[in-house]
């Protein structure tokens, strides 16, 4: 299972990657949407953890572009905005959101559920 | 203080006079000084409506007085000229009788006392009013006398009347007492005897007849009619000035051939008019001036009474109008005030919600900015902790793990605050479920079990049996009650009371009253408690968001919140909620 973490907060995402690898999860990091797309061209990822707000490309825009390259990829969104207004936005209604600061155990549980939804 | 619509609708009479000054509301009032508007409106209404009435009354009174004055002048003139004619006739008649006697009878028969007595008797019979007759020669000695007094042989040479009468053919004296000590008038005619020497036929007249003549014109108490001489001494008794021979202070009126009526300058408020006439017969002038004093009150009686009645009616009307004007002004200004008050209250509410929205936007930004570093701290600390956990040789340093846990806990507390801040503005989906208020309250109170025992707080919950389960957002209601109950616990000192009362207000609201016997909230703070970041709690103990979040949450649950508090006594928070929450998009 390959994970890609995308956030412009470099230190945060590096740290998160380290913690995941400590728990036996293989995670790559990308600091922008473009970088993530480059990496996706080379590696097949199973799941992407995207920050909603990034300079240049938003998490949502990145999701659509990544889907073209990797149709089977699953997404988890991370947001600093406590909660997200889902009202009237059908694109978001199916998505999974986690609020910053993240609880590592919640994140891992969510990843496991995404990969193996019927467990 | 958040006013509920029920409180606004309670229209207090004279609210504008007795309203408590509220600096927050005052800034939204259109007019600042209601008592002043009230007084001005009363004055303007009173002046515009009453002044024509007052002017009409004034003019009417003037007209009445004027017509009364001219009426009085007319009456006085008539009385004076009539009385004058009578007096003149009285004197003239007697003078002519004497003239007739001296012209008809020779001197020798006149100086015969017996004959003279006969003449006197005839004169008395014919005209009346004669007391005696005497013949006086040019030396002043009385040569014949007929009458009741024994005056024979008297000499009048030194008397002024004698001197005056010897100069003219006819003479009429003023009233005087003379030798006989009885008021009388002398009428004398001069003639010549056979030797060409002057002699006088003198008659004295009884003044009673003159008085009767004069007084016969005195119509009533208000009229004073009397004779004075040219020096102002009374010749007949007067009602105003007293007995005969009393000197009066009357200004001697200017001579006039005809009857005159004047209103003396010096008489107070011109309450009487004076008619006068100098009395003169055809043959000779007399020392008499006929005076008529007529008081206005006589003629005016009816008119003045009418005027008085009229004035009373006008006065009463004015009073009634003033009362009506006052009541109407009060009502209008009160309505104006109430309208302005409710406008100001709406404005204040709008300002508060504006503030809340502003703060909300601000806090969303702040929360987001804080969340990123928090996330970093979280991950870094988490990683440090992980290092201890996952490295091949775990170092069992409990103290460091504990410290790291503390940091993580602090981060998660910060995270709670930022998510509260965000939740305060964000619209979440309303999760409607059936909530049992009693269970909810019991649950919340269980958090405080320790504190209750420790502080000895007496907690009572009274839930009315008819309170239904309500359909609302459980989480929000929980947060509202948690906030309010937490606040109450913080306010209560040792051995205080906390009373929670839940009642059903049919058909579709419930009210939850949380009453504590805590420190209370001061008036000025009461105005601000719903403002975000307003806190009286000491540093670190509160964020100042509790009540403003509560306020926002209650609004979201379509309810209202009311606070009553008095410092040192306690505070009552009353939350009113609908039994069934309407979904936003359905509402």
């Amino acid at each position: 299972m390959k994970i890609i973490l995308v956030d412009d907060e470099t230190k945060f995402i590096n740290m998160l990657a380290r913690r995941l690898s400590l728990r036996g999860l293989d995670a790559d990091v990308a600091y922008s949407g473009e970088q993530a797309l480059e990496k996706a061209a080379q590696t097949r990822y199973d799941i992407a953890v995207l920050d909603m707000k990034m300079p240049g490309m938003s998490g949502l825009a990145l999701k659509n572009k990544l889907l073209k390259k990797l149709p089977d990829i699953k997404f988890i969104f991370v947001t600093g905005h406590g909660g997200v207004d889902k009202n009237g936005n059908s694109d978001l209604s199916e998505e999974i959101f986690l609020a910053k600061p993240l609880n590592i155990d919640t994140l891992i549980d969510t990843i496991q559920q995404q990969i193996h939804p019927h467990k | 203080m958040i006013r509920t619509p029920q409180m606004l609708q309670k229209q207090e009479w004279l609210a504008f006079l007795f309203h408590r000054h509220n600096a927050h509301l005052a800034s939204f009032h259109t007019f600042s000084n209601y008592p002043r508007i009230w007084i001005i409106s009363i004055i303007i209404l009173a002046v515009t409506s009453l002044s024509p009435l007052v002017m009409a009354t004034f003019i009417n009174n003037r007209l009445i007085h004027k017509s009364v004055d001219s009426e009085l002048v007319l009456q006085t003139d008539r009385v004076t000229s009539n009385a004058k004619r009578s007096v003149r006739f009285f004197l003239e008649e007697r003078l002519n009788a004497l003239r007739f006697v001296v012209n008809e009878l020779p001197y020798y028969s006149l100086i015969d006392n017996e004959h003279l007595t006969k003449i006197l008797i005839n004169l008395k019979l014919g005209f009346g009013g004669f007391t005696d007759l005497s013949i006086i020669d040019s030396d002043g000695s009385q040569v014949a006398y007929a009458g009741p007094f024994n005056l024979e042989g008297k000499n009048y040479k030194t008397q002024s009347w004698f001197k005056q009468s010897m100069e003219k053919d006819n003479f009429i004296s003023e009233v005087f007492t003379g030798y006989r000590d009885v008021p009388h008038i002398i009428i004398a005619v001069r003639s010549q005897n056979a030797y060409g020497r002057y002699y006088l036929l003198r008659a004295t007249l009884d003044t009673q007849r003159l008085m009767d003549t004069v007084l016969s014109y005195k119509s009533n108490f208000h009229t004073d009619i009397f004779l004075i001489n040219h020096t102002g001494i009374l010749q007949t008794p007067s009602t105003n000035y007293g007995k005969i021979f009393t000197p009066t202070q009357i200004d001697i009126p200017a001579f006039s051939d005809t009857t005159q009526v004047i209103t003396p300058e010096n008489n107070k408020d011109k309450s009487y008019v004076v008619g006068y006439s100098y009395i003169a017969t055809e043959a000779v002038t007399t020392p008499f001036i006929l005076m008529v004093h007529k008081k206005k009150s006589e003629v005016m009686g009816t008119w003045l009474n009418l005027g008085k009645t009229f004035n009373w009616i006008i006065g009463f009307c004015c009073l009634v109008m003033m009362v009506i004007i006052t009541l109407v002004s009060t009502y209008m200004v009160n309505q104006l005030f109430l309208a302005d008050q409710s406008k100001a209250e709406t404005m204040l509410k709008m300002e508060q919600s504006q503030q809340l929205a502003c703060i909300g936007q601000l806090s969303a930004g702040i929360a987001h900015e804080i969340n990123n570093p928090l996330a970093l701290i979280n991950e870094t600390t988490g990683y440090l902790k992980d290092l201890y956990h996952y490295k091949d040789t775990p170092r069992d340093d409990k103290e460091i793990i504990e410290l790291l846990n503390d940091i993580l806990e602090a981060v998660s507390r910060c995270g709670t605050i930022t998510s509260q801040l965000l939740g305060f503005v964000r619209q979440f989906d309303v999760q409607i479920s059936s909530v049992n208020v009693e269970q909810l309250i019991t649950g919340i109170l269980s958090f405080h079990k320790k504190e209750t025992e420790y502080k000895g707080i007496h907690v009572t919950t009274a839930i009315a049996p008819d309170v239904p389960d309500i359909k609302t957002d459980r989480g929000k209601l929980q947060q509202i009650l948690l906030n309010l109950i937490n606040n109450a616990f913080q306010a209560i000192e040792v051995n205080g009371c906390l009373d929670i009362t839940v009642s059903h207000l049919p058909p579709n609201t419930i009210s939850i009253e949380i009453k504590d016997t805590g420190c209370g909230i001061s008036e000025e703070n009461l105005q601000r408690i719903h403002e975000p970041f307003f806190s009286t709690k000491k540093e670190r103990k509160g964020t100042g968001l509790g009540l403003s979040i509560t306020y926002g949450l209650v609004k979201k649950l379509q309810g209202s919140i009311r606070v009553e508090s008095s410092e040192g006594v306690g505070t009552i928070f009353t939350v009113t909620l609908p039994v069934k929450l309407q979904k936003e998009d359905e509402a």
Side-chain angles (χ1 to χ4, degrees), chain A residues 1-3 25 46-47 72 74 76 96 108-119:
Chain A
M1 184 168 65
K2 277 294 259 181
I3 303 168
L25 296 168
D46 297 301
I47 192 156
D72 295 329
K74 297 282 193 300
I76 292 172
I96 291 178
I108 288 170
D109 285 351
T110 315
I111 291 171
Q112 297 297 355
Q113 269 182 21
Q114 287 294 90
I115 302 295
H116 311 288
H118 303 296
K119 255 188 186 173

Side-chain angles (χ1 to χ4, degrees), chain A residues 31-96:
Chain A
Y31 304 135
S32 69
E34 287 78 10
Q35 215 178 342
L37 288 172
E38 278 174 28
K39 292 205 169 183
Q42 293 159 14
T43 322
R44 197 184 149 273
Y45 293 107
D46 297 301
I47 192 156
V49 178
L50 306 181
D51 187 28
M52 276 296 286
K53 272 195 178 169
M54 286 184 292
M57 196 183 297
S58 80
L60 220 56
L62 182 58
K63 174 197 166 188
N64 293 332
K65 290 191 174 166
L66 279 176
L67 268 179
K68 284 176 189 164
K69 296 192 175 181
L70 306 165
D72 295 329
I73 196 169
K74 297 282 193 300
F75 296 95
I76 292 172
F77 289 96
V78 176
T79 170
H81 266 269
V84 170
D85 189 359
K86 292 180 184 176
N87 289 344
N89 196 337
S90 55
D91 284 357
L92 291 175
S93 54
E94 302 294 311
E95 305 304 336
I96 291 178

Side-chain angles (χ1 to χ4, degrees), chain B residues 50-339:
Chain B
L50 295 184
S51 58
L53 199 62
V54 170
M55 265 163 69
T57 313
F58 180 71
I59 290 169
N60 180 55
N61 279 354
R62 285 291 301 272
L63 281 177
I64 288 181
H65 274 265
K66 241 183 178 171
S67 68
V68 162
D69 279 353
S70 61
E71 173 80 11
L72 191 65
V73 166
L74 204 69
Q75 279 192 18
T76 310
D77 189 63
R78 208 158 48 226
V79 169
T80 311
S81 61
N82 285 347
K84 171 204 168 185
R85 258 198 301 281
S86 298
V87 171
R88 191 174 119 175
F89 178 72
F90 176 84
L91 294 170
E92 214 161 42
E93 202 180 27
R94 275 140 196 86
L95 195 64
N96 288 342
L98 294 186
R99 193 85 257 161
F100 175 78
V101 170
V102 290
N103 289 345
E104 194 62 27
L105 297 175
Y107 182 64
Y108 62 84
S109 66
L110 286 177
I111 57 176
D112 175 10
N113 270 356
E114 273 179 40
H115 199 181
L116 201 59
T117 307
K118 233 183 220 169
I119 294 168
L120 177 64
I121 290 165
N122 284 330
L123 283 174
K124 272 187 178 172
L125 281 173
F127 300 99
F130 287 99
T131 308
D132 60 10
L133 282 177
S134 54
I135 304 292
I136 296 154
D137 69 12
S138 55
D139 297 332
S141 45
Q142 183 171 280
V143 291
Y145 175 81
F149 300 100
N150 188 15
L151 296 169
E152 220 165 321
K154 287 263 179 199
N155 192 302
Y156 297 102
K157 194 168 183 175
T158 53
Q159 302 229 342
S160 66
W161 67 265
F162 176 73
K163 286 175 191 161
Q164 286 173 45
S165 54
M166 283 305 281
E167 287 160 16
K168 288 173 276 178
D169 283 345
N170 306 297
F171 173 75
I172 296 170
S173 79
E174 56 184 62
V175 179
F176 71 110
T177 45
Y179 288 122
R180 63 194 76 176
D181 274 345
V182 174
H184 61 278
I185 299 168
I186 287 172
I187 301 179
V189 292
R190 187 178 67 166
S191 190
Q192 280 175 308
N193 62 17
Y195 313 104
R197 293 194 60 164
Y198 285 119
Y199 71 93
L200 292 177
L201 172 59
R202 185 201 73 167
T204 57
L205 297 183
D206 169 8
T207 52
Q208 193 57 47
R209 287 292 288 262
L210 188 62
M211 282 180 215
D212 290 347
T213 310
V214 170
L215 291 180
S216 66
Y217 289 93
K218 184 173 153 78
S219 54
N220 55 36
F221 180 77
H222 299 292
T223 313
D224 189 12
I225 178 162
F226 55 92
L227 293 173
I228 57 170
N229 68 8
H230 291 187
T231 55
I233 292 170
L234 281 177
Q235 303 293 296
T236 61
S238 149
T239 324
N240 293 338
Y241 298 101
K243 287 181 179 165
I244 193 164
F245 299 136
T246 312
T248 61
Q249 300 304 315
I250 299 172
D251 297 327
I252 306 304
F255 178 79
S256 167
D257 287 337
T258 53
T259 304
Q260 296 290 326
V261 177
I262 53 168
T263 309
E265 293 294 321
N266 58 354
N267 98 50
K268 282 174 218 150
D269 58 49
K270 313 213 165 164
S271 61
Y272 63 91
V273 293
V274 172
Y276 72 90
S277 182
Y278 278 80
I279 291 170
T281 62
E282 249 174 69
V284 67
T285 60
T286 74
F288 299 118
I289 307 170
L290 177 75
M291 301 293 293
V292 177
H293 281 201
K294 220 167 167 63
K295 274 193 188 156
K296 265 188 189 178
S297 37
E298 177 203 348
V299 194
M300 286 184 82
T302 356
W303 279 105
L304 284 183
N305 280 341
L306 188 71
K308 252 183 206 164
T309 316
F310 194 63
N311 286 349
W312 273 112
I313 291 169
I314 296 287
F316 182 71
C317 287
C318 286
L319 198 72
V320 169
M321 280 167 81
M322 274 312 290
V323 169
I324 291 170
I325 285 169
T326 311
L327 289 179
V328 168
S329 299
T330 311
Y331 179 74
M332 299 295 265
V333 175
N334 206 42
Q335 291 300 308
L336 190 67
F337 170 76
L338 289 175

